[in-house]
Amino acid sequence: MDNDALRSMNWRERLYIIIFFTNTPAGKRFDTWLLVVIFASLVVVMLDSVALYSDRYGGLLDSLEWLFTGVFLIEYLVRIYCHPEPRKYIFSFYGAIDLLSVVPAFIALLFPDAEYLLVVRAIRMLRVFRVLKLTQYLSQANFLMVALRGSKQKIIVFLLSVSTMVLVFGTLMYVIEGPSRGFTSIPISIYWAIVTITTVGFGDIVPQTPLGKAVASLVMITGYSIIAVPTGIFTAELATAMRSDSLQQRCPTCEKLSHEANAAFCSRCGTQLFKRNDPDSDRSQGSLERQSD
Amino acid sequence: MDNDALRSMNWRERLYIIIFFTNTPAGKRFDTWLLVVIFASLVVVMLDSVALYSDRYGGLLDSLEWLFTGVFLIEYLVRIYCHPEPRKYIFSFYGAIDLLSVVPAFIALLFPDAEYLLVVRAIRMLRVFRVLKLTQYLSQANFLMVALRGSKQKIIVFLLSVSTMVLVFGTLMYVIEGPSRGFTSIPISIYWAIVTITTVGFGDIVPQTPLGKAVASLVMITGYSIIAVPTGIFTAELATAMRSDSLQQRCPTCEKLSHEANAAFCSRCGTQLFKRNDPDSDRSQGSLERQSD
Amino acid sequence: MDNDALRSMNWRERLYIIIFFTNTPAGKRFDTWLLVVIFASLVVVMLDSVALYSDRYGGLLDSLEWLFTGVFLIEYLVRIYCHPEPRKYIFSFYGAIDLLSVVPAFIALLFPDAEYLLVVRAIRMLRVFRVLKLTQYLSQANFLMVALRGSKQKIIVFLLSVSTMVLVFGTLMYVIEGPSRGFTSIPISIYWAIVTITTVGFGDIVPQTPLGKAVASLVMITGYSIIAVPTGIFTAELATAMRSDSLQQRCPTCEKLSHEANAAFCSRCGTQLFKRNDPDSDRSQGSLERQSD
Amino acid sequence: MDNDALRSMNWRERLYIIIFFTNTPAGKRFDTWLLVVIFASLVVVMLDSVALYSDRYGGLLDSLEWLFTGVFLIEYLVRIYCHPEPRKYIFSFYGAIDLLSVVPAFIALLFPDAEYLLVVRAIRMLRVFRVLKLTQYLSQANFLMVALRGSKQKIIVFLLSVSTMVLVFGTLMYVIEGPSRGFTSIPISIYWAIVTITTVGFGDIVPQTPLGKAVASLVMITGYSIIAVPTGIFTAELATAMRSDSLQQRCPTCEKLSHEANAAFCSRCGTQLFKRNDPDSDRSQGSLERQSD
């Protein structure tokens, strides 16, 4: 989209294009600044939790937090103002995230001790994805999503098997080691089994009896081996997703179905293949519908 | 299976269809409730092991355990009653699991201190798979099983190699570090080697001599590198399993099931293969036979 | 190989077939017993290192060790006697391993305090592979070896990159954290970097300064991400190895090169493919040369 | 390149060929010695940091460091002297690394306490890659680089998702556990989340409340599962890179390099492709141009 096209629109339309899309120079500058402000506000939230800094620069950090809240509030209102369907935006995923960037500061005025608001503030990080969403990364993230969606059922079967193992091994360790050696209850033993089967191994609870160590060895080798399962599932799905991307046109002469990405000629018989309307252009087409939220 | 077909059966047949299958609305409701009761009973077992809760709500938790035992007992008897071949059910894998959900409570009456019964109670979790077994997850779990079975021999070779490494490294560390630095015996040193090679790293035993640290580094890098082996094995097998499924068309002559992509002739007997029309039709057929257990 | 063929040989030849191969009933029995003795001798070595058992059953364990040494000595002498080329056997890999199963006991008579002999005893475990070598696991282990050999150069490049990272990160942490916080020297810091990058994380040395923690986070995320590299290398090689196994004959009609494993007919044109002399028979042929060592 | 060709050149050209390439016997000897000196100088740097050795052999280690610095200085000057375009060499990547091998010793004369120079010294390790660069490992490293470059965007999306998770989980744990249980600030909690999600698990900070343990379990299982993502990405890219290499034949019309397996026509321009006869011939050609830096 060039600057001339942009100039022919009215003010509100231009604002909409700049704020919600990245394919204009102004839109790119807006997104870059938004990223800077988001990261700066996250740094302020983090520094404020460090006793050393909050004691010394508490006032400054509070002021900055209010400044960023102000910026996000203005941005939120402008987004509502310029969106063609404000209601749709407000109830969209990113509309909710945008609102959540603003409210904690005001709620904190009412309930100054509400520490849980910190988590709400951290959720601001999700806004970073909205900026990325509009770039080249979109299609790459799509591959990952397709692969994850394709492997959903296998992942559920896998997680359920792991849960069963963790439950049985945890109970077993509780019975073997007993409360006097750190395995104070079945939930704690299950926590230990998760720490061990995921190969994290904090070392805050460790088996002390020979039998406990033998079972722990079994848990560790199991964990080490079954890490192969999610990896295998995801790799196989991702390979399929990447392959099927180039799988979209039948050769009119020899009926060969799968072709290389961006193939212009069939590699078996040399017949010219027709582009499906230029893969990049149709991404920028229709993008208004898909990318607005 | 529609409701009319169900109504034309007698009471015992209807019960059988409802309890053992999920393709009726009543069967789905039954399975959902069964899942709820199984998870609830597991939660009770877990809470009872936490000193805080067992002291305060011991009586309530015991009553609940008896309630769930009663439910499982009734369910077990009904399953025996309505199954066309009760003997076959009783000696099946899930028949045994169903029985194990009931007996611990009664054995606990005779031997009140038998802590090992807790493990038997945790095994109830396996019943969750029976419910899943009848759904869409079945075919996905099958993929995983086919891949695991196909990689069995390679996994055994791998585990044997790891065992050898763990034995040799464990003995080496015992000799290098010695009993005074936590490596009190060869079995303990082997336990340490397993903790390290699987990258769990509890930190309860750590090498303290420079030579011991050098050998430990070697163990860690080995463990980090060979994690690739089970992953590679499983991924390669899973990819094969997934690919061969999409080509699953039975050869009309020799009944060979899986064929190469785009195969026009059976590679075993040379019979011409016809493109299959409805990939799902043969999956929905015959499902009653395959899913009963 | 059937029993009649075996009976027509002289005593020494029969012994050779029984001891060095597994395709006779007697050979299978011999291998099974050998496995039992190897594992029993390893258990004795392990138990002898546990103070509790060596104090109480020291005499018994010593006697058992001498018994197993005697068995291995006799086996070694019989192997030399019946092998057609004893010299070749003695200087082969397994010949050396067999000798190493015997000598530690005798050296221990001369130097009773030589603890390093324990490691030599643990090396007995390698003999287990000789037994496996002759079974169906051979071809599976071959796949793994082909994949490992194919990925050797990539693995070296990878290990060199990891070494460089570990060296640079280790030096960096030494400079940042300093001797007073556990990072007492560059080698120790490199050891810490290896513990961290392999995701083992013992926790005996941990960064304590904010900058140290930031660098440690970088090391951890690097380690977590690059675990993908050996896995990717190995998986890609293994997939190639498994695929190329079925890649060995050109179709005489349509010149299609790659075929399914054990394909008897070309899947593209239906032409009959000639077996390369039955893959299983040629494994049992020529096996005398290959499997003797 | 044979010795006769080398002899016909003048002294400076011969030096250039020997120092910058490995395909002459003299060049191979030069590279081997360079590797030895690099590793020896790194060992000296490491030993000097160990209090025990630096106290006892401080003078010797300092002398050796000066000796190696002298060798590297001479080598650097010779490289500048014999390179056809000295300016290009000086500002190349390896030119900078070569300079960094020399300067720390001289800067240390001016600022004797500048510990950060140690890191600069460790960077010498990178010179090892220049030697490897000229060998067979080049093409293998290229595969890895192609795969890494191809997966760059997916890796960025992945790392951003992990950052978001780590930020949100870290803040959550700070709120749940609080400063009194080791989670003293949000940055520290984020550090803990990184330690946990990468399955390192030092154990210096561990959750102590039941809710904290539940969230920690979630973090661990997340970390354990998503390790599949970079592995899957990299494996899929590497498989593509390896496959496309075996098909590398340049299209005579459009110069497209990689083609589908068994491609008979170029998929970009439709030109017929001829089967290539000698896969290695074009690799040994033109190697002089490609390998100089």
Side-chain angles (χ1 to χ4, degrees), chain C residues 40-170:
Chain C
S41 79
L42 288 170
V43 168
V44 166
V45 169
M46 279 192 249
L47 289 183
D48 199 34
S49 77
V50 183
L52 186 76
Y53 298 114
S54 91
D55 288 355
R56 216 179 281 176
Y57 310 106
L60 176 66
L61 293 172
D62 277 8
S63 313
L64 280 172
E65 175 60 24
W66 276 109
L67 174 68
F68 292 133
T69 301
V71 170
F72 291 146
L73 181 60
I74 292 167
E75 186 216 338
Y76 184 60
L77 295 177
V78 170
R79 278 187 191 266
I80 292 177
Y81 165 72
C82 71
H83 199 284
E85 295 170 274
R87 197 172 294 251
K88 208 175 146 192
Y89 162 68
I90 291 168
F91 293 103
S92 72
F93 175 70
Y94 282 105
I97 298 288
D98 291 349
L99 184 62
L100 284 176
S101 306
V102 178
V103 288
F106 295 99
I107 298 178
L109 285 182
L110 301 172
F111 312 96
D113 296 332
E115 277 223 301
Y116 276 87
L117 291 173
L118 277 174
V119 181
V120 180
R121 279 183 192 168
I123 286 173
R124 267 177 211 171
M125 182 74 183
L126 286 176
R127 302 189 71 205
V128 170
F129 285 91
R130 102 111 43 70
V131 177
L132 280 185
K133 213 183 130 244
L134 304 172
T135 72
Q136 49 175 328
Y137 293 95
L138 176 64
S139 69
Q140 299 300 322
N142 265 359
F143 272 130
L144 298 181
M145 291 313 295
V146 166
L148 279 177
R149 220 172 292 141
S151 49
K152 207 186 69 185
Q153 293 188 351
K154 289 199 202 69
I155 293 281
I156 288 174
V157 171
F158 170 73
L159 285 180
L160 206 72
S161 308
V162 170
S163 305
T164 308
M165 275 188 270
V166 153
L167 180 70
V168 172
F169 278 130

Side-chain angles (χ1 to χ4, degrees), chain A residues 115-143:
Chain A
E115 276 223 303
Y116 277 85
L117 291 173
L118 276 174
V119 181
V120 180
R121 279 183 191 167
I123 286 173
R124 263 175 214 174
M125 182 73 182
L126 285 177
R127 304 189 70 205
V128 170
F129 285 92
R130 105 110 41 72
V131 177
L132 280 186
K133 214 182 129 244
L134 304 171
T135 71
Q136 48 176 329
Y137 294 95
L138 175 63
S139 68
Q140 299 298 324
N142 265 359
F143 272 131

Side-chain angles (χ1 to χ4, degrees), chain B residues 169 172-178 181 183 192 196 206-220, chain C residues 116 191 202:
Chain B
F169 278 129
L172 201 60
M173 289 302 283
Y174 171 69
V175 170
I176 292 171
E177 292 280 322
R181 290 185 204 84
F183 293 79
W192 173 87
T196 305
V206 289
Q208 281 157 39
T209 61
L211 185 57
K213 283 182 179 174
V215 173
S217 300
L218 197 65
V219 176
M220 284 177 250
Chain C
Y116 276 87
Y191 166 73
F202 281 134

Side-chain angles (χ1 to χ4, degrees), chain A residues 49 118 122 129 132 136 140 188 191 199-202 223 226-227 231 235 238 242 256 260 264-265 267-268 270, chain D residues 153-154 160 164 167 171 186 196 199-201 203 207 213 220 224 231-233 237 256 260 264-265 267-270:
Chain A
S49 77
L118 276 174
F129 285 92
L132 280 186
Q136 48 176 329
Q140 299 298 324
I188 291 285
Y191 166 73
T199 78
V200 172
F202 281 134
I226 62 175
I227 210 171
T231 303
T235 304
L238 189 63
M242 285 170 71
K256 185 168 183 292
E260 233 176 317
F265 294 88
S267 69
R268 201 201 285 160
Chain D
Q153 293 188 350
K154 289 198 202 71
L160 206 73
T164 308
L167 181 69
T171 312
I186 292 184
T196 306
T199 78
V200 172
K213 284 182 179 173
M220 283 178 250
Y224 187 68
T231 303
I233 293 168
E237 287 290 341
K256 186 170 183 292
E260 231 176 319
F265 295 88
S267 71
R268 200 201 285 161
C269 65

